[in-house]
Amino acid sequence: MTVPERYDVAVIGAGPAGLAAAVSAAGGLKTTVIEAYGAGGSAAATPVIQNYPGCADVSGAELTRRIYEQAQRLGVSFVLTNPAVGLSTGGGERTVTLADGTTIAVHAVVIATGVAYRTLGVPSVDKLTGAGVVYADSVAEPSALAGQEVFIVGATAVAAQAALDLAKHASNVTMVVRAGSIDAGVSAGLAKEVDRTRNIRVRVNTQVVEAFGEGRLEGVRLRHRVSGTIEAARTRALFVMMGADPNTEWLKGSMVRDNEGYLLTGDELLRNGRLPDGWPNERVPLLLETSLPCVFAAGDVRHPRRGARDHAGAAGAARASRERRGSTELAFDRRARRIDAAADGVPDPLPQIPVPEVW
Ligand SMILES: Cc1cc2nc3c(=O)[nH]c(=O)nc-3n(C[C@H](O)[C@H](O)[C@H](O)COP(=O)(O)OP(=O)(O)OC[C@H]3O[C@@H](n4cnc5c(N)ncnc54)[C@H](O)[C@@H]3O)c2cc1C
């Protein structure tokens, strides 16, 4: 049996949410970050970030590299290319199991594993991701596409709403839809609004089969699924909005998720005012605390739309503040852990760091 490594905090996922949590936790807490691939997450594919506090016009890759290096300087250790595959609790501790079999014992866990966007499976589209091709479930700044031809793939409510938002600025918006209509994924009211909007065109029974451009998207080729006709269209913006799946399969059965698999936290866990089944404490879960005490969730794994809707139009800044809020919960969590530890009869081995009363 391997003796587990011990940390105060393990952050799972090194996207912007995980990195921000690690930087905040690092002050006084022995912190490790577990990442399935390399640091940066989805943000590493974002060409320009304009609204992250203190960083204007920086690429997502550059921004996350800076936060990664900052975390390292603050003493955070990183385990890369080794995904977390299990999480269990007991004896006042949480144990994270990694793909290579390593186990890590920790007091608090922050899950920031983000989402996996559903892709078209077209290599030329994948190649231009971040260079005109965007996987997203909302459009942060539709005005940036003023006067342009914009394409959206997807027949979801999110895609229809994005088309309406973009149509206020773009010259034309084309929705590319595999099915014979958008009715299956879009409410009748929204579909009617799309239909009524002069500069939105819905291309049904149609697929994007190719994206082209030298280092940047310049156009797409569309194939009609019934007639087989292929035509080319010029565009510098293709949004793929076919939905996303949260990276939480490895947590199935260990904590409460919503019906799409997103993690629920804080009072989202209360059902008719009742605490979740198996919740061992009298206190209610903290703001970003999951159904397992001292296991928190931050970033898109809680649902990208929760943040985006709350802070319409300022996704980057909002995300930053949301993540700060998530990581500041760790400070509160030190207090919570003492309560838990006392309830379990386990001494709290953490240094007694003053805990702020407000964040
Ligand atoms: C092409 C593109 C462009 C975008 N443009 C914008 C934009 O302009 N503005 C904006 O606000 N947002 C944009 N977004 C969205 C933004 O990138 C995300 O909202 C943000 O990255 C979410 O951060 P996160 O840390 O929650 O998750 P992510 O960035 O997705 O990071 C999650 C990390 O967890 C890791 N992981 C997953 N499972 C495990 C596991 N089991 N164990 C260990 N690690 C795991 C992943 O490998 C990943 O590194 C864009 C996204 C994409 C893909």
Side-chain angles (χ1 to χ4, degrees):
M1 198 177 101
T2 51
V3 178
E5 282 189 64
R6 283 173 193 283
Y7 283 90
D8 297 326
V9 180
V11 178
I12 320 294
L19 291 171
V23 166
S24 300
L29 296 172
K30 190 182 171 196
T31 302
T32 186
V33 177
I34 314 296
E35 165 57 48
Y37 301 102
S42 309
T46 308
V48 186
I49 296 198
Q50 286 169 330
N51 49 5
Y52 197 90
C55 292
D57 296 329
V58 66
S59 71
E62 172 64 11
L63 175 65
T64 49
R65 186 186 61 77
R66 286 187 204 168
I67 312 175
Y68 172 58
E69 288 176 359
Q70 185 183 17
Q72 283 185 312
R73 279 198 300 275
L74 291 168
V76 173
S77 74
F78 282 82
V79 178
L80 302 178
T81 66
N82 197 0
V85 294
L87 173 63
S88 57
T89 58
E93 245 175 15
R94 282 128 282 274
T95 303
V96 181
T97 305
L98 309 190
D100 70 353
T102 308
T103 54
I104 300 176
V106 287
H107 262 281
V109 178
V110 179
I111 298 171
T113 48
V115 300
Y117 286 96
R118 292 180 203 136
T119 66
L120 289 168
V122 175
S124 56
V125 173
D126 295 345
K127 214 169 126 196
L128 292 170
T129 300
V133 176
V134 177
Y135 287 85
D137 83 344
S138 64
V139 181
E141 289 180 59
S143 58
L145 293 165
Q148 297 203 30
E149 293 283 335
V150 179
F151 280 69
I152 299 175
V153 179
T156 57
V158 163
Q161 187 56 55
L164 290 168
D165 294 344
L166 284 162
K168 292 180 190 134
H169 307 276
S171 57
N172 288 299
V173 178
T174 303
M175 288 181 74
V176 182
V177 175
R178 269 176 67 100
S181 79
I182 60 171
D183 296 350
V186 178
S187 71
L190 204 51
K192 211 172 192 174
E193 229 181 301
V194 166
D195 193 42
R196 273 202 300 250
T197 305
R198 180 193 47 80
N199 59 340
I200 299 180
R201 184 176 176 200
V202 181
R203 300 284 305 264
V204 297
N205 293 315
T206 304
Q207 281 172 283
V208 171
V209 290
E210 192 189 337
F212 55 86
E214 282 303 312
R216 207 200 180 286
L217 180 71
E218 289 166 20
V220 289
R221 265 181 251 285
L222 306 175
R223 180 178 174 277
H224 194 273
R225 297 180 70 224
V226 179
S227 66
T229 322
I230 293 192
E231 69 179 276
R234 294 248 153 225
T235 182
R236 291 173 67 79
L238 171 67
F239 289 87
V240 182
M241 297 186 143
M242 303 191 319
D245 301 301
N247 294 316
T248 60
E249 269 307 291
W250 63 287
L251 295 165
K252 196 173 177 180
S254 14
M255 63 175 62
V256 178
R257 306 182 301 161
D258 73 9
N259 55 10
E260 294 176 80
Y262 290 97
L263 298 184
L264 296 175
T265 64
D267 57 14
E268 293 164 352
L269 289 158
L270 301 180
R271 287 284 168 269
N272 300 323
R274 282 189 33 237
L275 290 162
D277 288 345
W279 177 255
N281 302 317
E282 286 199 7
R283 67 175 176 87
V284 295
L286 297 169
L287 183 68
L288 297 181
E289 199 171 21
T290 67
S291 59
L292 294 180
C294 299
V295 177
F296 298 84
D300 282 0
V301 76
R302 291 184 58 234
H303 207 305
R305 285 200 292 280
R306 280 184 194 133
R309 277 196 191 136
D310 290 352
H311 312 281
R319 189 157 287 122
S321 73
R322 192 176 72 212
E323 283 148 16
R324 282 205 59 75
R325 196 160 146 166
S327 48
T328 308
E329 287 284 343
L330 290 171
F332 283 102
D333 180 50
R334 287 197 281 273
R335 191 169 45 197
R337 254 174 292 162
R338 283 183 207 118
I339 299 166
D340 287 346
D344 292 348
V346 178
D348 179 7
L350 288 179
Q352 301 291 302
I353 301 163
V355 175
E357 289 306 319
V358 291
W359 62 274

